[in-house]
Amino acid sequence: MQLGLIGYPIQHSRSPWIHQAFMKQIKLDGKYQLFQIEPDQFDQGIRQLQTLDLDGFNVTIPFKQRIIDYLDQIDHFAEAIGAVNTVVCEKGKWIGYNTDGLGYVLGIRSSYPDLFAGNKQVLLLGAGGASRGIYYALLQENFDRIDIANRTTARAQELLSINTSNLSSDVMTYQEAAQQLNQYDLIINTTSVGMQPNLDKQVIALDGIKQNTVVSDIVYQPFWTALLKDAKQKGARVHHGHEMLLYQGKIAFEKWTGHRIDAEKIMPDFLNSILAET
Ligand code: ATR
């Protein structure tokens, strides 16, 4: 199996670790290589990739939108989000998928299945690329409402256009969201706040949060973001960012190989590999 990743910069990517662990689990021979492409050399980089006999590859920042022009097919989920993170190469054809949002949902469902039992309210913090995929995936689930708060509210407003369900969503500022935090059962940070260089920052303070609420951060470096530390201190439940990373990889790998992966089994080693880097 010949797999890989395109993006820039990607030297610190966790994806080789993940896919090598998956190959080992099902005893499959193969390689997962990093193909770093400079953004201004994107076209040449892709032409070169087309000459390799790859079975599939992942796409990361900043190419998740640009890759779409080079695909033969795109699945409806990736098309609705407008971003592709996984390409399956099949008989010379490139087919694009997006496994980020579904990976997020698989992770949170496996840790907190009670959130999916109905009548729950979600607050999404951020309205960038990551938020789009997660919002779209959450819209397929059985929630009462999914509100979106963002620094730039116009961007959150744009996100509403991918909501073709009957589920209600309000757009608000962080300040407005902070005033009604006690209504949410799941609060998800999809912004880059909490990562370098904003290590000690969080987009919203968690005063007034319910005890049983799950606070989830897609930032995985550091493992304990300022937001998650605040959540823990306030007695809320927490969900860390590394899970989404592993599960988006699981869905991609299953598409490439047709084999089922037991991601739960790999999770402890994966967590150790993340913690070793912190
Ligand atoms: P990604 O594809 O990783 O989601 P992105 O599309 O650039 O990246 O989105 C980044 C998100 O983080 C956005 O919600 C952004 O808010 P704006 O839309 O208002 O720019 C948010 N973000 C980044 N830095 C931030 C900061 N310092 N304070 C608040 N929000 C921030």
Side-chain angles (χ1 to χ4, degrees):
M1 195 52 50
Q2 296 300 320
L3 305 170
L5 170 69
I6 63 166
Y8 185 89
I10 50 176
Q11 61 269 32
H12 298 298
S13 167
R14 308 305 304 161
S15 290
W17 191 102
I18 291 173
H19 293 287
Q20 274 145 22
F22 291 164
M23 287 192 256
K24 199 169 155 202
Q25 184 178 82
I26 60 164
K27 299 187 175 62
L28 185 75
D29 272 342
K31 248 203 228 158
Y32 186 97
Q33 300 180 76
L34 295 180
F35 302 104
Q36 179 157 289
I37 302 174
E38 305 259 343
D40 62 355
Q41 313 259 303
F42 185 66
D43 188 64
Q44 294 101 300
I46 294 298
R47 301 280 166 224
Q48 245 177 334
L49 208 66
Q50 285 167 336
T51 67
L52 305 177
D53 198 16
L54 293 178
D55 296 293
F57 59 95
N58 283 130
V59 184
T60 189
I61 288 167
F63 303 137
K64 290 186 186 185
Q65 276 109 28
R66 285 173 81 182
I67 192 68
I68 292 174
D69 288 342
Y70 296 82
L71 300 173
D72 297 290
Q73 264 179 59
I74 183 164
D75 109 302
H76 71 278
F77 197 101
E79 191 169 25
I81 299 165
V84 161
N85 80 328
T86 300
V87 175
V88 174
C89 311
E90 217 174 78
K91 298 188 190 110
K93 286 213 170 8
W94 283 11
I95 308 158
Y97 297 90
N98 194 309
T99 69
D100 287 331
L102 291 172
Y104 176 80
V105 170
L106 269 190
I108 189 98
R109 194 202 293 278
S110 80
S111 292
Y112 297 108
D114 59 292
L115 287 174
F116 293 79
N119 303 322
K120 299 291 192 287
Q121 309 210 359
V122 180
L123 173 64
L124 205 54
L125 305 170
S131 176
R132 262 181 111 75
I134 292 173
Y135 181 55
Y136 197 73
L138 290 174
L139 284 170
Q140 331 290 319
E141 303 295 330
N142 184 24
F143 294 110
D144 262 12
R145 62 180 311 111
I146 306 175
D147 292 337
I148 310 164
N150 197 39
R151 177 178 59 183
T152 316
T153 44
R155 224 172 156 200
Q157 205 74 43
E158 265 171 50
L159 210 61
L160 294 185
S161 67
I162 63 174
N163 182 1
T164 52
S165 71
N166 294 324
L167 206 145
S168 329
S169 285
D170 277 343
V171 163
M172 57 190 76
T173 62
Y174 289 130
Q175 221 174 359
E176 287 162 342
Q179 281 158 14
Q180 54 179 55
L181 274 192
N182 64 353
Q183 83 179 61
Y184 298 108
D185 304 286
L186 171 62
I187 298 173
I188 310 162
N189 175 50
T190 68
T191 75
S192 49
V193 176
M195 265 164 36
Q196 284 283 16
N198 291 315
L199 275 184
D200 300 327
K201 302 219 169 70
Q202 56 194 84
V203 286
I204 202 165
L206 296 173
D207 302 309
I209 195 173
K210 285 191 292 194
Q211 290 273 305
N212 211 32
T213 291
V214 175
V215 176
S216 171
D217 203 327
I218 68 163
V219 171
Y220 62 91
Q221 203 69 275
F223 183 68
W224 281 101
T225 58
L227 184 78
L228 292 183
K229 282 189 213 163
D230 188 16
K232 179 112 178 121
Q233 206 189 16
K234 301 227 157 64
R237 300 185 287 171
V238 299
H239 179 244
H240 295 274
H242 68 290
E243 284 199 6
M244 171 175 171
L245 201 61
L246 190 66
Y247 280 100
Q248 62 75 30
K250 166 188 154 82
I251 302 170
F253 190 86
E254 290 177 349
K255 286 193 185 303
W256 293 325
T257 64
H259 287 276
R260 299 285 297 167
I261 287 295
D262 184 351
E264 286 293 305
K265 217 168 169 178
I266 290 170
M267 193 63 82
D269 283 347
F270 182 55
L271 178 57
N272 284 336
S273 85
I274 295 274
L275 292 175
E277 295 257 313
T278 305

